[in-house]
Amino acid sequence: MSDGFKGAIFDVDGVLVDSPHEQAWRQSLQELMEGPWSDIRPQTTWTPEGFTSEVYHQRMSGKPRKAGATAALEYFNIPDIDRRVVEYGDHKQEMIIKLITEGKFSAYDDAVRFVIAVKNAGIPIAAASSSKNAKLFLERVDLGKYGGSGNLHEIFDVDVSGRDFAQGKPHPEIFLTAAKELGVDPHAAFVAEDATNGIQAARAGEFGALGVSRADDVDALKAEGADLVVTSMDDIDVVALSSHRLATK
């Protein structure tokens, strides 16, 4: 293990759990545009079908709440952004809490198996999501079905999710903080991310960059310089991590 990875840092939404963030952002904007904001609708480019998965993944995914809300409002040319961004963010947050408590999300089985395997290989692990809801998700993933006990949040050594960092992704601050709290050098750790701005942040921090394609975006993640891109984390060679390699089996 002397030359292998000494730390692994995981984004949560889209990597570990199939979260309802995209649904909450889309639905809450639709409710606003068809309700309290209906008067400004003709001034905008918003339509219900215009809020695609591509828009979410390319412009919003992985960003803190205010930045995500701003990106969507800018994209649809919605006026008075400064005044509306908090209302949109708050509306989305109410909806996401409702969806989480209703159990409207699922863990990615391949990811949970990989996290457990990395932990069992003696590599410390950190959760690092921009979302303030990450802990809620992880606590609701029961490890019983994976042959373990307790919940997914409990097996992480460090969780820096949802903190108010000065810089959001693609700045590497969140990952650098996770590495510091794990007690590892960035060069000795890798980051698992599903969003292009997350891969950018991993590269900026000089981490190993593991792209997890959940949205048919293998080429986009590769284009950002991911060291390895997989569609299933079951394909990753855990043994290779001890040689500081991100590789498939």
Side-chain angles (χ1 to χ4, degrees):
M1 272 292 293
S2 59
D3 298 322
F5 283 109
K6 302 289 196 297
I9 301 169
F10 293 87
D11 180 39
V12 176
D13 308 323
V15 174
L16 304 182
V17 299
D18 184 10
S19 83
H21 272 86
E22 181 180 343
Q23 178 187 347
W25 278 120
R26 180 184 293 114
Q27 211 169 309
S28 55
L29 185 56
Q30 183 167 350
E31 287 183 3
L32 289 167
M33 294 300 285
E34 292 177 348
W37 295 359
S38 57
D39 58 321
I40 59 151
R41 187 170 168 182
Q43 304 169 47
T44 74
T45 56
W46 178 84
T47 60
E49 56 278 3
F51 198 136
T52 62
S53 285
E54 188 179 7
V55 169
Y56 173 75
H57 281 281
Q58 291 189 355
R59 297 176 181 272
M60 304 172 70
S61 179
K63 291 183 177 177
R65 190 183 310 162
K66 186 177 181 183
T70 301
L73 299 183
E74 285 176 349
Y75 178 77
F76 291 112
N77 296 310
I78 292 168
D80 304 322
I81 286 180
D82 291 344
R83 187 165 62 82
R84 298 181 193 276
V85 71
V86 175
E87 186 178 356
Y88 180 29
D90 288 351
H91 195 52
K92 169 257 170 186
Q93 182 62 11
E94 288 171 15
M95 186 168 290
I96 198 109
I97 296 294
K98 181 170 175 284
L99 292 169
I100 294 170
T101 53
E102 288 174 356
K104 298 285 177 66
F105 75 96
S106 58
Y108 286 113
D109 292 338
D110 61 305
V112 179
R113 285 190 290 265
F114 181 67
V115 167
I116 292 169
V118 171
K119 176 87 170 181
N120 289 343
I123 301 172
I125 55 176
S129 168
S130 301
S131 172
K132 295 188 184 301
N133 308 301
K135 186 181 179 192
L136 276 177
F137 285 122
L138 297 175
E139 285 178 338
R140 282 169 170 74
V141 178
D142 183 359
L143 294 183
K145 69 178 280 194
Y146 305 97
S149 60
N151 66 60
L152 186 54
H153 189 261
E154 291 170 343
I155 75 166
F156 280 92
D157 300 288
V158 164
D159 180 9
V160 299
S161 301
R163 296 188 192 172
D164 292 320
F165 290 105
Q167 306 272 357
K169 302 171 194 175
H171 193 282
E173 183 180 10
I174 186 170
F175 297 144
L176 293 171
T177 303
K180 185 177 180 183
E181 294 190 13
L182 282 174
V184 299
D185 186 272
H187 297 110
F190 69 88
V191 169
E193 261 285 356
D194 70 308
T196 51
N197 67 0
I199 295 295
Q200 289 168 0
R203 298 285 296 168
E206 301 186 351
F207 293 89
L210 172 61
V212 185
S213 174
R214 305 290 191 193
D216 196 24
D217 53 357
V218 170
D219 291 342
L221 295 169
K222 283 182 178 173
E224 295 300 343
D227 297 299
L228 176 68
V229 179
V230 296
T231 53
S232 170
M233 298 183 88
D234 286 331
D235 295 337
I236 302 166
D237 185 348
V238 176
V239 176
L241 300 177
S242 63
S243 303
H244 202 273
R245 289 187 300 120
L246 290 169
T248 53
K249 292 172 183 170

